[in-house]
Amino acid sequence: MPNRDRLRGMLVGATSALVMIGLVACGQPEAPMAEVEPEPTVLEPINELPNPYTTEDGWVMLPDAREWGSTAGVDIDPDGEHIWAIDRCGSNSCATSDLDPVLKIDPAGNVVASFGGGLMLFPHGIHVDPAGNVWISDARGPDDEDPSQAGKGHVVIKFSPEGEVLLTLGEGGVAGDGTDARLNTPNDVAVGPDGSVYVGDGHEGQNTDDPNTVARIAKFSADGEFIVSWGRWGSEPGELKTPHALAFDPLGRLVVADRGNNRLQIFDEEGNAVEEFKQFSRPSDVHFGPDGMVYVADSESAFDEVRNPGWTPGIRVGSLEDGSVSYFINGAIEGHDRYPDGSNPEGVAVDATGNVYGAVVSGGGAMVRSSR
């Protein structure tokens, strides 16, 4: 590409010089040189990278013969060993189930705690804060034709490690318009270094062309008071199309998986967009490992001709310091009936020893683990 651009520049320069000589020879006034429009930068898919990981499924033993449903979220307990996972009640919704959607799992795969049954419709994002509290976003609203769903959805719920409801952000069952404390299909939540709470609000941005679609980051105080929000639907810096996941990088900056725009977007503490990265493909989730490396889950690329064609779903591992991408975990499991070519998880987390966990939505759901 650089050689081609250099050659193009030489040709344009030579052509311009000949035109100028001809005009002068004819006694014509010199004309201003036409500006050459730069070609847009096209990022080639980054698929061919080393994969030093081996992926396994079936290591979690769910109780009472329970099977995984869509498993959209995973995070690490402060002890660095246990994981917390979302299971959509054995299917892709908890609207008609009383099963506990929030599970705590030990390193051997035993479920040691669970809670949240009957409180949520569509558990989507999960965040475990430094005190061990578990935050869950409920990314759908109620079906008006089902009275049992009234008052549920459009909220973020903070649970104690034992499952006690400590705080609710948003108004249950009521969709906000993106201007105040009410939420609208919130995707994810993260607690900042100062204890403030950030919500990626608006799940539908990637599925619409309506500029009025909610697509923002909403900021709350530690005790749940609405402070401010920023962002709107769009593709320019600071705009969003589904802020699908949130995480704070080692520098304390907010990293947003702006899935509909196929980029990670970084904001400072004032809500200013300061940087973006597209080399991590179409991000559904983002997590920083104990080594400071960033792990980005892509569950949608190449799903159709619109969603980032040419890129392979999986987990890309790299650095936001220099933008390098070092590894690609495709999640393939040899001989597996559902994931022989890759499990394309929607959620990702890394424990203290470097094990990478993938929360899988497709193929019935699973919690896969990749280890070196």
Side-chain angles (χ1 to χ4, degrees), residues 63-79:
D64 303 321
R66 178 173 171 174
E67 294 186 359
W68 286 109
S70 292
T71 315
V74 58
D75 205 355
I76 306 299
D77 190 80
D79 68 10

Side-chain angles (χ1 to χ4, degrees), residues 308-355:
N308 215 25
W311 292 74
T312 301
I315 298 171
R316 287 169 177 82
V317 185
S319 169
L320 294 192
E321 292 185 7
D322 59 9
S324 60
V325 187
S326 301
Y327 307 118
F328 176 59
I329 307 172
N330 64 10
I333 304 173
E334 186 174 353
H336 200 284
D337 56 346
R338 288 186 293 171
Y339 309 120
D341 301 317
S343 53
N344 54 293
E346 181 163 309
V348 62
V350 187
D351 68 18
T353 60
N355 296 311

